[in-house]
Amino acid sequence: MPLSQLKDSVPVTGMGPQVGAYGVQDTLRSGFSSVKNELLPSHALELSEKNFQLNQDKMNFSNLRNIQGLHAPLKLQMEYRAARQIQRLPFLQSSHLALDTLKGNDESISFEDILNDPAQSEMMGEPHIMVEYKLGMM
Amino acid sequence: MATLSVCQPQLGGFSFENCKRNAVLEAEVTKLGCNVPSARKTGTTICGVVFKDGIVLGADTRATEGMIVADKNCSKIHYISPNIYCCGAGTAADTEMTTQIISSNLELHSLSTSRLPRVATANRMLKQMLFRYQGHIGAALVLGGVDCNGPHLYSIYPHGSTDKLPYVTMGSGSLAAMAVFEDRYKQDMEEEDAKRLVRDAIAAGIFNDLGSGSNIDLCVITKGRVDYLRPHDMANKKGVRSQRLIRPVYAVTGNYKYKQGTTGVLTKSVIKLDLEVVEETVQTMDTS
């Protein structure tokens, strides 16, 4: 396999300024902004934890592509996309059973299952806004 | 409570919402000269040794919170699986939660493979989790067990590095314990010799380190048998109060009463107090 096809860098979604429509700060939806808040994470682990699952998936798919060819990650990602659609409305709790089984999360316990369980959270998301965001209307 | 206007559903796991607020609070508090409350640590001596048929793990039992002893008899040898046990040093909550999470994961893994779990599996899981959190989880562990490939002993540092060795020590008293190990360790010891060696190493840590104290716990793991000896040895007994032999038959501890006739009586006068009944009222209680 020629070296140029091997991917060695995975782009990380960082903390940029929150731009809404028209390219300016959307104060109504994302609150007041401050340059210090946007540029620096409040804890060393905040960025890496926010994107941990994403980065793990990217790394695994990249490995799989290098070992087994392009079809392997494509097939898997198609199955993930199909399983992700079997969900309730965004502000309600879904069990993600199919997605967890595919990813292998049904056989492990980590801090995501113990701390800050979204099913036990005190606040509910705003239904209209969450559905609009999911449908891409926002 | 007003509903949050959030576009995406919340995820579980660690939440960093209060970090900025905590940083501001800490700055304010140190300006006033007070101290932020600190986490409970187990300034500790833990150690492990491989002997002929298995592993001996040892730990002291003191948990400190700054300069104060928070727990005089805490248990630092945690259960991971029937054939694997783990001693933990560092922040007490971190070692506790980490070992419990790994124990659950190993149980699920062993159910899915239907085999007894291996020590290398537990080591790999711990190492990957601790590296993910870049040392912010302060758990320094000594992992030991006997599986199908024989006895294994690992030491795991908070940032995720591990060592596989025949004898390991961790914690603030690790240097004292390691001195005893370096002097007297031999390959293929017998069980009694290994227990005595670990007991002496922990005792060295207890007597020479402020952060370790109280009793010595041992855990002996062999193929098919685990002996959890808690406490194996009480190195620091709390003092007994002064004894006074009042009667030759038995000694009374902590008794400060003197027997009648110790003090000589010089004079005795009895004055009777005349009490006059001034007023008598009866208040009925409402018991309905």
Side-chain angles (χ1 to χ4, degrees), chain A residues 50-95:
Chain A
K50 196 159 67 154
N51 301 322
F52 185 74
Q53 207 44 56
L54 218 68
N55 291 341
Q56 284 290 100
D57 287 345
K58 280 185 186 166
M59 188 175 74
N60 290 337
F61 283 140
S62 178
N63 271 337
L64 205 55
R65 178 193 175 157
N66 292 332
I67 296 172
Q68 293 187 12
L70 187 56
H71 76 290
L74 277 184
K75 252 194 208 159
L76 279 177
Q77 279 180 320
M78 184 189 76
E79 288 175 12
Y80 283 10
R81 186 171 288 213
R84 216 174 296 146
Q85 292 181 352
I86 320 164
Q87 272 183 39
R88 297 214 170 112
L89 290 173
F91 52 93
L92 293 173
Q93 272 309 302
S94 347
S95 70

Side-chain angles (χ1 to χ4, degrees), chain B residues 36-149:
Chain B
V36 206
S38 66
R40 177 184 299 196
K41 295 178 80 74
T42 57
T44 303
T45 311
I46 49 175
C47 65
V49 89
V50 178
F51 71 98
K52 196 170 70 167
D53 306 317
I55 303 272
V56 179
L57 296 172
D60 71 306
T61 58
R62 174 183 288 184
T64 52
E65 210 167 299
M67 287 285 118
I68 301 175
V69 174
D71 192 344
K72 290 187 278 276
N73 197 1
C74 77
S75 152
K76 298 185 190 177
I77 306 187
H78 308 284
Y79 166 88
I80 303 263
S81 83
N83 59 327
I84 303 175
Y85 277 74
C86 182
C87 310
T91 311
D94 288 347
T95 58
E96 190 75 39
M97 293 302 322
T98 306
T99 47
Q100 282 178 355
I101 287 180
I102 296 302
S103 169
S104 308
N105 275 329
L106 257 194
E107 173 79 15
L108 286 171
H109 188 257
S110 110
L111 283 171
S112 130
T113 57
S114 54
R115 287 180 169 84
L116 203 60
R118 300 191 190 191
V119 191
T121 317
N123 177 51
R124 183 64 53 150
M125 285 180 174
L126 279 165
K127 164 207 278 261
Q128 286 177 346
M129 171 194 268
L130 289 174
F131 183 73
R132 171 179 171 179
Y133 294 105
Q134 291 290 299
H136 286 274
I137 292 193
L141 309 166
V142 167
L143 175 75
V146 179
D147 57 22
C148 56
N149 289 342

